[in-house]
């Protein structure tokens, strides 16, 4: 009988959806297991074959846990706010909300075809107002909170204000950027605006001027992971450093807890390493450098290498430094240089690779030698621990050396390096001849004693910018009354409808009527009863920082999460996703969870118990090259590799590549506007591209649509092929040619159940050899699943099937268990076989097969003996004992003679190694 995968898969997908097989009622007395995949973003291109690998692996494990009788939830939803949708809407004129719904519909169709056991009743979308209502509520909670360093938790801002009214801030141990001390009387005398300005230094959600990555073309601030080579990943537009008033979250207050929490979770070592590096805790010293012209102003510079202090020959003020703020810039820049500096700052873009900078005309004094050290402004040199000023030792730092060479600054060697273990100080006064360890403690002691520095523990982790200058995001529930931010508690605050989806600054219906608590037209603002609303929206990571909690209770209209359900589910047992989210998303989600715990809204300190990072699917991308200055494109075959740095690499869609890496220019020019009128330099009439093995990604335009695989091979083939590629956590090369082997195996599995075109199963009891092979296979597969080695069972299935064919074993007691195991990987074909085996309930509800190999190895079986169906006692016989011998021994057994009371049995039923029933 032909393996008609299209018919089979369609049949069971309809059945699962109609019967809601995967939408289980939760029995809260059972053991729970919460499996989660990292939030997918519903882009217009839909899924590619790199996406399902994590979904398939988590589905296999979910089905395995479900077969063991545990309460399993495996929910799905969509991270549906974001810049890509907005950009597409700007280009097409289709509203982002409509575009998002179209994209989600496509995603759902593709995911349903994959046969994943997602609980679709728990589906959520971050752009749904019933969801982002609670994102806004949590933001307000953060706005109305401060961090108590003594209690190590967030607390209500009302407590802080009350303390200010009683004692000022002199007894407060808060995580704050406000350094001045004041008494209660001073606080009470301040105006509301002044009070709020101080409170902004304490609030967990706060406003401040931040140095941000500004992209004028996209009209928004970008996170570091949204930029590559100083260009936006989306569109390849220039990015500039700019100081802007931004909403931020005081995530830095949680640095220590975020670090300590890593000890309590089961994450891959490389992921923990990334988290620790992102948090970046270091113990060192802050050294004070006084300005030559105003010694009251001190630059505090953190270092873990104070023994290099004598080698400092210049100071850098980074572009994002608060010293460059309008009111402070004259403190750091000499009057004669101010116009040149302002011009430099105005024309500056993110060009770290270019050595650029400008002298301020000012100097600081070396704390020990009192030598004058010149101060420059530049972004060429960076220091994650010093955002306002950096001390530079050009003799021992590559970038400092390059900068010093260009600007003719002194280079003073202060370390003699004989080997990695033999380093000592030179040209360093009293440190000369000391090794690094001894010199560290010696100079630290002197700096502290003379008050030239102070002990410091610094973290690389900075407060997270929470503003995006765009339309398609969660509105920030804030309005401004006399420039003071006020919260809107009537939620959700909905986005206004706009014809052009740029920023909310252009919205005509975006003002807050305080009295009537509703949005009104912007032209009605009078700053008495109607006030301007916040025009920034939240970043895309806002909604994805707590979505795992909403899955626990998605239909709750009264609160974001019922306490009883939170107590039951607590946190995610298994979180599956890409390593690219090891820093940003994971840090934000862990911070968000800890904040909620501070208020008793969740019980656990960490949101995710275990994380598995699936490896990337690799495929050859197509790269063309554009001259950075003249903007023409050159055929790769003509590219001079020595001048490769003069060209920008541009990814193009692999579907436009013909034979021998030739690019179809006609299609390329109609694909994107930037190519339409561009100049292309050909090689003998052809334009070729470079092919590079990269991660399959929509941003690299190298994706393969799973619909093609579904239609040609079926979803079960795709599921098994992706698992067969190798260990889940390893990167794998996609090669469509190799998929035929898995497809042929599925056909072989199907044909094994069909003799001469008809379904066949043997009802006889299996032999010892057959059972032994089954039990060993069950054990191997279980061990592989427990260790998340999802590729190994496929080989075991292949070996087992070959053994069955060799033994010509078609026995039900062998085939049923293996079909259950097979259903974890290939649910459609398994469901069809299960149905043909006469089963009425879905195979999804079947229990995990028992491994009775120990009982198989025993020589005797203890038979339960029943009389007319009633159990009386047990009696042992050899497992190999023939039925006729067992029957003869039964008739001579004293216990049986006693129960029969001299009556002759009408019939003796003996099921080998199962049961004996005597009818009389």
């Amino acid at each position: 009988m032909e393996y008609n995968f299209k018919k089979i898969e369609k049949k069971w997908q309809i059945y699962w959806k109609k019967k809601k097989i995967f939408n289980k009622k939760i029995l809260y007395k059972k053991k729970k297991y919460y499996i989660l995949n990292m939030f997918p973003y519903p882009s217009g291109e839909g899924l590619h074959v790199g996406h399902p690998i994590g979904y398939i692996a988590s589905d296999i494990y979910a089905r395995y846990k479900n077969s063991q009788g545990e309460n399993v939830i495996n929910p799905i939803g969509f991270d549906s706010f974001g810049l890509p949708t907005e950009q597409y809407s700007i280009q097409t004129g289709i509203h982002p909300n409509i575009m998002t719904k179209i994209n989600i519909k496509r995603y759902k169709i593709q995911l349903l075809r994959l046969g994943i056991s997602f609980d679709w009743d728990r589906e959520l979308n971050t752009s749904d107002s019933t969801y982002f209502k609670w994102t806004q509520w949590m933001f307000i909670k953060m706005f109305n909170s401060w961090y108590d360093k003594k209690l190590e938790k967030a607390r209500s801002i009302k407590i802080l204000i009350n303390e200010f009214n009683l004692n000022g801030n002199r007894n407060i141990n808060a995580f704050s950027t406000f350094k001045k001390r004041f008494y209660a009387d001073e606080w009470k005398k301040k105006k509301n605006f002044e009070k709020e300005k101080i409170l902004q230094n304490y609030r967990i959600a706060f406003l401040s001027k931040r140095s941000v990555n500004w992209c004028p073309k996209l009209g928004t601030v970008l996170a570091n992971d949204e930029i590559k080579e100083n260009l936006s990943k989306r569109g390849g537009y220039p990015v500039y450093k700019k100081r802007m008033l931004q909403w931020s979250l005081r995530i830095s207050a949680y640095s220590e807890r975020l670090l300590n929490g890593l000890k309590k979770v089961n994450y891959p070592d490389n992921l923990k390493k990334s988290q620790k590096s992102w948090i970046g805790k270091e113990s060192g010293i802050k050294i004070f450098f006084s300005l030559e012209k105003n010694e009251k102003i001190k630059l505090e510079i953190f270092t873990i290498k104070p023994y290099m202090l004598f080698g400092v020959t210049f100071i850098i003020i980074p572009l994002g430094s608060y010293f460059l703020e309008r009111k402070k810039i004259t403190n750091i820049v000499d009057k004669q240089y101010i116009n040149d500096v302002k011009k430099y700052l105005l024309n500056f873009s993110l060009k770290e690779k270019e050595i650029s900078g400008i002298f301020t005309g000012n100097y600081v004094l070396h704390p020990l030698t009192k030598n004058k050290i010149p101060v420059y402004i530049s972004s060429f040199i960076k220091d994650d621990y010093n955002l306002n000023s950096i001390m530079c030792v050009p003799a021992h730092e590559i970038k400092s050396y390059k900068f010093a060479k260009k600007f003719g600054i002194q280079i003073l060697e202060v370390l003699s390096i004989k080997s990695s273990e033999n380093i000592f100080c030179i040209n360093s006064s009293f440190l000369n001849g000391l090794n690094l360890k001894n010199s560290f403690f010696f100079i630290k002691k002197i700096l502290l004693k003379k008050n030239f520095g102070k002990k410091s523990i610094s973290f690389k982790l900075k407060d997270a910018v929470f503003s995006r200058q765009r339309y398609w995001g969660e509105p920030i529930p804030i309005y401004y009354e006399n420039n003071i931010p006020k919260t809107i508690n009537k939620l959700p605050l909905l986005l206004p409808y706009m014809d052009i989806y740029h920023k909310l600054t252009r919205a005509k219906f975006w003002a807050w009527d305080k009295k009537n608590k509703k949005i009104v037209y912007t032209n009605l603002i009078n700053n008495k009863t109607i006030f301007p609303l916040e025009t920034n929206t939240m970043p895309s990571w806002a909604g994805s920082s707590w979505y795992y909690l909403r899955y626990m209770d998605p239909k709750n209209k009264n609160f974001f999460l019922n306490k009883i359900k939170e107590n039951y589910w607590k946190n995610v047992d298994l979180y599956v996703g890409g390593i690219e989210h090891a820093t940003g998303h994971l840090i934000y989600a862990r911070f968000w969870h800890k904040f909620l715990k501070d208020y008793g809204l969740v019980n656990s300190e960490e949101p995710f118990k275990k994380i598995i990072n699936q490896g990337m699917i690799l495929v050859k991308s197509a790269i063309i090259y554009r001259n950075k200055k003249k903007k023409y494109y050159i055929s790769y075959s003509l590219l001079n590799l020595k001048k490769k740095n003069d060209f920008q690499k541009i990814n193009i869609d692999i579907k436009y590549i013909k034979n021998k890496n030739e690019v179809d220019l006609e299609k390329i020019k109609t694909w994107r506007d930037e190519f339409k009128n561009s100049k292309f330099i050909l090689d003998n009439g052809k334009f070729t591209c470079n092919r590079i093995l990269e991660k399959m990604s929509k941003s690299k335009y190298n994706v393969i649509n799973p619909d093609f695989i579904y239609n040609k091979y079926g979803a079960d083939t795709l599921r098994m092929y992706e698992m067969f590629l190798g260990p889940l956590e390893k990167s794998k090369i996609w090669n469509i040619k190799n998929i035929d082997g898995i497809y042929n195996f599925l056909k072989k599995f199907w044909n094994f159940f069909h003799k001469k075109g008809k379904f066949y199963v043997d009802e006889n009891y299996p032999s010892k050899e057959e059972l032994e092979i089954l039990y060993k296979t069950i054990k191997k597969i279980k061990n592989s699943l427990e260790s998340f080695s999802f590729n190994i069972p496929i080989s075991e299935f292949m070996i087992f099937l070959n053994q069955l064919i060799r033994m010509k074993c078609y026995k039900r007691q062998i085939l049923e268990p293996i079909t259950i195991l097979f259903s974890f990987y290939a649910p459609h074909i398994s469901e069809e076989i299960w149905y043909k085996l006469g089963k009425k309930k879905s195979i999804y509800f079947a229990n995990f097969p028992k491994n009775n190999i120990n009982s198989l190895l025993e020589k005797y079986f203890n038979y339960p003996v029943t009389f007319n169906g009633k159990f009386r006692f047990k009696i042992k016989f050899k497992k190999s004992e023939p039925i006729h011998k067992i029957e003869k021994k039964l008739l001579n057994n004293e216990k049986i003679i006693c129960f029969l009371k001299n009556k002759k049995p009408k019939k003796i039923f003996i099921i080998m190694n199962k049961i004996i029933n005597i009818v009389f």
Side-chain angles (χ1 to χ4, degrees):
M1 187 177 182
E2 183 190 2
Y3 170 46
N4 189 338
F5 66 83
K6 288 184 179 179
K7 183 179 177 182
I8 291 168
E9 290 180 0
K10 186 177 180 181
K11 170 186 173 181
W12 291 109
Q13 284 162 14
I14 292 169
Y15 174 82
W16 294 331
K17 187 177 180 181
K18 185 178 179 182
K19 298 290 184 180
K20 293 192 170 184
I21 296 297
F22 309 131
N23 306 343
K24 297 191 304 179
K25 287 185 178 179
I26 302 299
L27 302 172
Y28 289 99
K29 291 180 180 179
K30 291 173 70 176
K31 185 180 178 183
K32 69 95 181 181
Y33 201 87
Y34 183 178
I35 294 177
L36 185 64
N37 291 276
M38 289 187 182
F39 230 5
Y41 178 79
S43 64
E45 295 88 350
L47 288 174
H48 61 69
V49 296
H51 286 129
I53 194 163
Y55 303 146
I56 297 164
S58 61
D59 184 51
I60 290 167
Y61 203 72
R63 289 172 181 270
Y64 164 61
K65 282 291 185 180
N66 182 69
S67 72
Q68 292 187 313
E70 296 184 26
N71 263 341
V72 179
I73 55 167
N74 185 17
I76 188 66
F78 300 96
D79 191 8
S80 45
F81 272 132
L83 185 60
T85 300
E86 181 173 312
Q87 286 299 112
Y88 188 80
S89 295
I90 291 168
Q91 293 165 10
T92 62
I94 302 172
H95 194 278
N97 191 38
I98 296 170
M99 200 67 244
T100 297
K101 288 177 180 178
I102 293 169
N103 293 345
I104 287 175
K105 185 178 179 181
R106 183 179 180 186
Y107 259 70
K108 285 181 73 172
I109 291 169
Q110 289 181 310
L111 287 170
L112 286 166
R113 287 189 73 180
L114 200 53
I116 304 292
S117 60
F118 286 137
D119 184 346
W120 286 99
D121 276 358
R122 295 178 184 270
E123 179 191 352
L124 58 86
N125 308 313
T126 55
S127 58
D128 190 316
S129 61
T130 60
Y131 179 84
F132 72 70
K133 167 186 178 178
W134 298 110
T135 310
Q136 292 174 332
W137 181 86
M138 291 172 191
F139 172 84
I140 291 171
K141 193 84 174 168
M142 290 180 188
F143 178 80
N144 289 324
S145 298
W146 62 288
Y147 196 85
D148 189 328
K149 289 171 76 174
K150 186 179 178 182
L151 297 179
E152 294 185 335
K153 62 182 287 188
R155 302 180 73 193
S156 170
I157 202 77
K158 290 179 181 178
I159 296 171
L160 187 70
I161 294 170
N162 186 54
E163 177 63 22
F164 286 173
N165 282 317
L166 292 173
N167 304 304
N169 70 345
R170 306 186 76 81
N171 300 324
I172 286 289
N173 188 10
F175 199 97
S176 171
T177 51
F178 194 77
K179 303 301 179 186
K180 293 179 182 177
R181 291 294 179 184
F182 55 81
Y183 291 97
D185 289 344
E186 294 175 90
W187 170 259
K188 290 174 184 176
K189 289 176 183 176
K190 292 183 185 294
K191 296 177 181 177
N192 287 340
F193 178 78
E194 293 173 316
K195 287 181 177 179
E196 182 55 39
K197 196 173 180 181
I198 292 172
L199 287 173
Q200 287 294 324
N201 292 274
Y202 290 87
R203 295 186 187 275
I204 287 179
F206 64 98
L207 274 170
S208 69
K209 277 206 167 183
R210 297 283 301 273
S211 174
V212 294
N213 304 315
W214 173 249
C215 182
K217 281 281 186 180
L218 293 176
T220 190
V221 167
L222 299 176
N224 289 333
D225 57 5
E226 294 173 312
I227 303 165
K228 186 178 180 182
E229 295 181 352
N230 315 316
L231 300 171
S232 65
K233 286 184 179 178
R234 180 76 183 177
Y237 302 118
V239 178
Y240 300 83
K241 275 290 182 187
K242 185 177 180 181
R243 286 190 69 81
M244 297 175 67
L245 189 65
Q246 297 283 291
W247 282 101
S248 298
L249 299 186
R250 209 175 298 279
I251 188 172
S252 58
Y254 288 79
S255 296
E256 195 70 60
R257 282 171 65 182
L258 287 165
L259 197 60
N260 291 334
L262 294 172
K263 300 171 187 175
K264 305 171 186 176
V265 291
N266 185 359
Y267 295 174
D269 289 340
N270 61 333
L271 191 152
K272 282 189 177 183
K273 189 177 179 181
S274 295
Q275 288 266 299
K276 287 176 182 177
S277 175
W278 193 267
I279 297 165
K281 182 180 180 180
E282 291 286 3
S283 295
I285 185 169
K286 280 188 178 177
I287 301 175
F288 307 146
F289 293 83
S290 300
L291 283 175
E292 182 200 18
K293 295 177 181 178
N294 187 350
E295 292 192 26
K296 290 182 180 180
I297 298 175
K298 288 183 170 63
L299 309 187
E300 294 186 9
I301 302 178
F302 175 80
T303 181
I304 58 172
K305 300 175 181 179
Y307 45 76
M308 297 206 327
L309 180 58
F310 287 96
V312 177
T313 57
F314 66 99
I315 298 289
I316 288 291
I317 304 297
L319 265 284
S321 172
Y322 60 66
F323 285 119
L324 300 181
E325 289 180 8
R326 185 169 54 86
K327 292 180 180 180
K328 295 177 181 177
I329 193 167
T330 51
N331 290 331
I332 208 80
V333 181
D334 188 87
K335 289 180 181 179
Q336 294 180 26
Y337 292 79
I338 194 73
N339 290 331
D340 290 339
V341 167
K342 286 182 177 180
K343 186 178 178 182
Y344 172 80
L345 294 175
L346 192 66
N347 296 324
F348 182 82
S349 67
L350 275 180
K351 296 177 181 177
E352 288 91 346
K353 290 185 178 180
E354 295 182 13
I355 305 172
S356 67
I358 189 167
F359 180 48
T360 62
N362 212 338
Y363 297 85
V364 295
L365 299 177
H366 192 287
L368 296 173
T369 67
K370 302 305 176 183
N371 291 337
K372 288 172 32 175
I373 301 172
V375 179
Y376 288 79
I377 295 170
S378 175
S379 74
F380 180 69
I381 299 167
K382 287 188 172 183
D383 184 340
D384 291 322
Y385 295 94
N386 294 295
L387 301 183
N388 296 305
S389 52
I390 303 165
M391 66 180 209
C392 301
V393 185
H396 305 288
E397 297 162 352
I398 294 172
K399 283 202 167 186
S400 294
Y401 177 82
K402 290 180 179 178
F403 191 92
K405 275 289 186 184
K406 179 167 182 177
F407 288 90
I409 301 170
Q410 181 187 13
I411 298 171
L412 181 61
E413 196 172 352
V414 290
L415 295 178
S416 176
I417 304 170
K418 302 296 183 182
S419 67
S420 59
E421 295 179 358
N422 188 12
I423 305 173
F424 56 89
C425 294
I426 57 173
N427 301 320
S428 299
S429 184
F430 52 82
L431 295 180
N432 287 340
L434 296 178
N435 62 26
L436 297 188
K437 184 178 180 181
N438 292 334
S439 61
F440 177 89
F441 290 110
F442 192 15
I443 194 167
K444 181 180 175 184
K445 184 180 178 181
I446 289 174
L447 290 171
L448 294 176
K449 186 178 179 180
K450 294 188 175 184
N451 201 28
F452 293 157
K454 62 181 179 181
K455 288 180 183 179
S456 179
I457 293 175
S458 287
F459 292 89
K460 195 190 296 182
L461 183 66
K462 304 305 174 191
D463 295 329
V465 176
F466 202 70
S467 298
R468 294 293 184 269
Q469 294 67 37
R470 65 170 187 239
Y471 170 77
W472 192 236
E474 297 93 337
I476 296 175
I478 293 285
Y479 70 94
Y480 292 91
E481 188 174 330
N482 300 320
N483 291 324
I484 298 174
K486 302 282 186 178
T487 59
I488 295 169
N489 297 308
K490 187 180 179 182
L491 303 174
L493 179 67
L494 302 175
L495 286 167
Y497 185 86
M498 293 176 69
D499 293 326
I500 301 174
Y501 322 109
H502 276 289
K503 307 172 196 174
L504 285 176
T505 49
R506 302 185 185 186
K508 296 177 181 178
F509 193 72
W510 197 240
W512 186 249
D513 185 330
K514 182 181 176 181
K515 184 179 178 181
N516 297 305
K517 295 182 179 180
K518 65 177 184 178
I519 300 172
V520 295
Y521 284 99
T522 310
N523 60 8
L524 296 176
I525 292 173
N526 56 22
N527 288 313
K528 293 178 181 177
T529 57
I530 298 172
F531 302 95
L533 278 160
E534 173 61 63
T535 54
N536 288 311
T537 53
M538 297 184 193
S540 57
W541 55 264
S544 62
S545 290
W546 70 277
Y547 72 109
Y548 58 92
L549 293 171
R550 187 61 174 173
Y551 280 139
M552 299 176 188
D553 193 14
K555 308 297 182 186
N556 193 332
K557 294 180 180 179
N558 300 316
F559 202 48
F560 77 91
L561 177 58
N562 175 276
K563 195 68 182 172
I564 295 171
K565 292 181 179 179
E566 192 279 326
N567 279 331
Y568 179 72
W569 293 111
K570 283 189 175 65
N571 46 21
V572 177
D573 294 285
L574 176 63
Y575 198 27
V576 180
I579 190 67
E580 64 270 22
H581 302 295
T583 48
H585 159 66
L586 198 53
I587 287 282
Y588 300 142
R590 293 179 61 223
F591 149 73
W592 205 286
H593 193 84
K594 291 173 192 297
F595 172 79
L596 294 176
K597 183 181 183 293
D598 290 346
Y599 281 99
L601 299 170
V602 296
N603 285 307
S604 57
E605 177 74 6
E606 290 290 333
F608 315 115
K609 285 185 182 178
K610 180 179 177 63
I611 292 179
I612 294 179
N613 294 128
Q614 81 262 19
M616 297 179 288
I617 294 288
L618 304 176
V619 70
K620 282 192 173 183
S621 297
I623 312 289
I624 62 174
Y625 294 84
R626 178 174 63 190
N627 186 278
K628 291 177 181 177
K629 292 181 179 178
K630 298 181 180 179
K631 304 300 181 184
Y632 64 82
Y633 296 87
I634 188 170
S635 175
Y636 181 66
S637 55
L638 296 174
L639 185 66
N640 185 338
L641 296 179
K642 291 181 180 179
K643 295 182 178 180
K644 205 172 181 180
N645 291 335
D646 295 338
F647 291 82
Q648 181 185 356
K649 293 193 295 184
I650 308 286
N651 284 73
I652 60 171
D653 203 314
I654 57 173
K655 66 185 176 185
Y656 301 129
I657 308 305
K658 299 190 284 188
N659 291 332
K660 296 181 179 180
N661 298 333
E662 184 185 353
V663 179
D664 191 328
L665 285 182
E666 287 186 16
K667 290 182 179 178
I668 282 288
K669 288 180 178 181
T670 58
W671 177 46
R672 289 207 328 229
D673 288 341
E674 63 190 87
F675 298 130
K676 193 173 182 181
N677 298 313
S678 295
K679 182 182 177 182
F680 289 85
I681 298 175
L682 311 184
D683 183 9
N684 293 324
K686 293 182 179 180
F687 189 89
T688 58
C689 66
N690 188 16
R691 302 302 298 271
I692 299 173
L693 198 63
E694 291 185 303
K695 172 193 173 184
M696 187 179 290
S697 169
K698 285 172 277 192
S699 64
K700 297 183 184 300
Y701 305 105
N702 59 1
V703 301
I704 296 164
N705 195 311
D707 294 343
F708 166 74
I709 309 296
Y710 294 151
N711 295 331
K712 189 172 182 180
Y713 299 101
D716 283 343
T717 299
L718 177 62
R719 288 172 63 108
M720 293 196 76
Y721 175 66
E722 294 216 347
M723 291 298 98
F724 194 58
L725 284 172
L728 179 63
E729 66 279 6
K730 302 292 183 184
S731 293
K732 309 153 193 75
I733 298 173
W734 178 269
N735 190 339
I736 191 68
K737 295 175 184 177
N738 297 336
I739 204 168
D740 286 315
I742 292 294
Y743 179 59
N744 290 333
F745 170 65
L746 280 169
K747 287 196 290 185
K748 185 177 179 180
F749 187 81
W750 173 262
N751 292 333
F752 178 76
F753 286 84
H754 298 83
K755 270 191 172 183
K756 296 179 180 179
K758 290 186 179 180
F759 188 81
Y760 173 76
V761 63
D762 186 348
E763 301 293 347
N764 288 312
Y765 191 78
S767 68
K768 180 183 175 182
E769 182 190 4
E770 291 165 343
L771 286 170
E772 192 171 347
I773 291 169
L774 172 67
Y775 294 151
K776 284 181 178 178
T777 303
I778 292 171
K779 184 181 179 181
K780 287 178 183 177
I781 289 174
K782 185 178 181 180
N783 290 342
S784 295
L785 293 175
E786 287 288 352
S787 63
F788 305 97
S789 302
F790 299 110
N791 57 314
I792 294 173
I794 299 174
S795 298
E796 294 298 331
F797 289 135
M798 292 175 174
I799 293 166
F800 187 72
L801 183 59
N802 287 335
Q803 288 173 322
L804 293 182
I805 293 169
R806 175 181 59 79
M807 296 185 295
K808 297 181 180 178
C809 174
Y810 303 95
K811 290 165 184 170
R812 179 181 289 274
Q813 290 184 52
I814 300 295
L815 300 188
E816 283 188 4
I818 203 64
T819 304
I820 293 170
L821 298 176
F822 204 71
S823 71
F824 302 163
Y825 284 79
H828 304 88
I829 190 174
S830 303
E831 192 78 83
E832 181 68 14
I833 290 169
W834 193 247
Y835 174 74
K836 289 191 170 193
L837 284 166
K839 306 296 182 179
K840 293 182 180 179
K841 287 185 75 175
S842 169
I843 197 169
Y844 180 73
F845 301 110
N847 293 326
F848 191 85
K850 291 180 179 179
N851 175 10
N852 293 324
I853 192 145
N854 291 331
S855 64
L856 187 68
L857 297 174
E858 293 174 4
K859 291 183 178 180
Y860 292 88
F861 182 76
N862 208 10
Y863 282 89
V865 180
T866 62
F867 290 83
N868 293 334
K870 290 185 179 181
F871 172 74
R872 296 302 180 187
F873 55 84
K874 288 185 176 182
I875 187 169
K876 275 188 179 181
F877 291 106
K878 283 184 179 180
K879 286 184 176 181
S880 57
E881 194 99 48
I883 288 177
H884 69 277
K885 286 188 177 182
I886 294 174
E887 190 172 331
K888 188 176 180 180
K889 288 179 180 180
L890 288 172
L891 293 171
N892 293 317
N893 185 279
E894 290 184 8
K895 274 190 176 182
I896 290 173
I897 292 169
C898 180
F899 269 99
L900 287 173
K901 296 178 181 179
N902 297 321
K903 293 180 182 178
K904 286 187 177 182
K906 294 178 182 177
K907 186 74 176 175
I908 297 176
F909 295 95
I910 301 171
I911 300 175
M912 284 291 289
N913 300 318
K914 286 284 184 180
I915 195 170
I916 296 169
N917 185 31
I918 300 171
V919 180
F920 64 94

